[in-house]
Amino acid sequence: EIAVKDLCLNLKVKPEELVGRVGTLQDELKSKQKEVANLKAQLAVASSLALAQHAQDLCGLKVLVSKIEGEVDADGLKAAAERLSEELGKEEAVVVLVSSPGEGKVALIAQAGKEAVRQGVHAGKLIGPIAKICKGGGGGKPALAQAGGKDPSKIDEALEAAKVQLGETLAVEAST
């Protein structure tokens, strides 16, 4: 009873209005959480465009393997990868992005255009081993894959492994 009185006092409602008010607050919280997630995705896309200048030409493909600073979640990384692919040339682009969306978390995404897939790049096969480096896992299709991990301290090592793996994949394809 004391808890109910305290809640009514804090929320400025009558006891019979308490359940409705809590429901309204929960709805407002969900709405704000979605808004924050959308803003983070927009920020990831905006900051990722600056990365486009660091893409490298490799066997006729535009390859970008990079970390996005800030707490960017998987959805934000996916949006950023899509935008970067468009910027680099959707068919020829290979984009691998990594971020740390929170303490003890790693988010990874790999995206490969049609020409990249034709040359042997498989996003799902690329993302799995680099996610393991970050103590995680994941996979996906040849054109798009996502993964997660638990060790942000290994992000740089994972990025280097992705570069090496891409280089080897494309070198093997070029020699056949």
Side-chain angles (χ1 to χ4, degrees):
E1 243 182 71
I2 294 172
V4 171
K5 285 183 181 180
D6 284 348
L7 281 172
C8 289
L9 188 64
N10 285 332
L11 298 174
K12 298 179 177 125
V13 295
K14 296 176 187 168
E16 59 272 11
E17 298 169 342
L18 190 57
V19 172
R21 180 69 176 128
V22 169
T24 300
L25 289 172
Q26 287 176 319
D27 291 343
E28 288 176 13
L29 177 61
K30 284 181 188 175
S31 174
K32 296 300 179 193
Q33 287 172 331
K34 284 182 182 179
E35 190 177 324
V36 167
N38 284 337
L39 290 171
K40 282 184 177 181
Q42 289 174 15
L43 182 61
V45 168
S47 65
S48 71
L49 292 178
L51 297 174
Q53 66 186 354
H54 300 292
Q56 297 176 328
D57 288 314
L58 192 57
C59 296
L61 302 175
K62 295 282 189 184
V63 177
L64 178 66
V65 178
S66 185
K67 177 181 179 181
I68 290 188
E69 297 299 329
E71 295 183 2
V72 182
D73 64 7
D75 290 336
L77 276 184
K78 186 175 179 181
E82 287 173 6
R83 182 66 182 98
L84 276 166
S85 289
E86 290 170 10
E87 186 76 17
L88 297 173
K90 199 151 184 73
E91 301 297 313
E92 301 82 25
V94 178
V95 178
V96 178
L97 297 176
V98 180
S99 78
S100 180
E103 186 144 339
K105 293 182 182 179
V106 178
L108 306 98
I109 191 153
Q111 188 166 3
K114 287 180 184 177
E115 179 59 23
V117 172
R118 193 188 68 69
Q119 289 191 37
V121 176
H122 189 295
K125 291 178 182 175
L126 175 64
I127 204 87
I130 65 172
K132 285 182 182 170
I133 293 170
C134 296
K135 298 189 181 4
K141 298 179 180 180
L144 181 67
Q146 287 183 267
K150 298 175 185 168
D151 189 353
S153 72
K154 300 286 187 178
I155 287 176
D156 291 336
E157 183 181 334
L159 289 171
E160 283 306 310
K163 290 175 186 175
V164 168
Q165 188 176 340
L166 274 169
E168 290 173 355
T169 299
L170 293 170
V172 166
E173 187 63 29
S175 67
T176 57

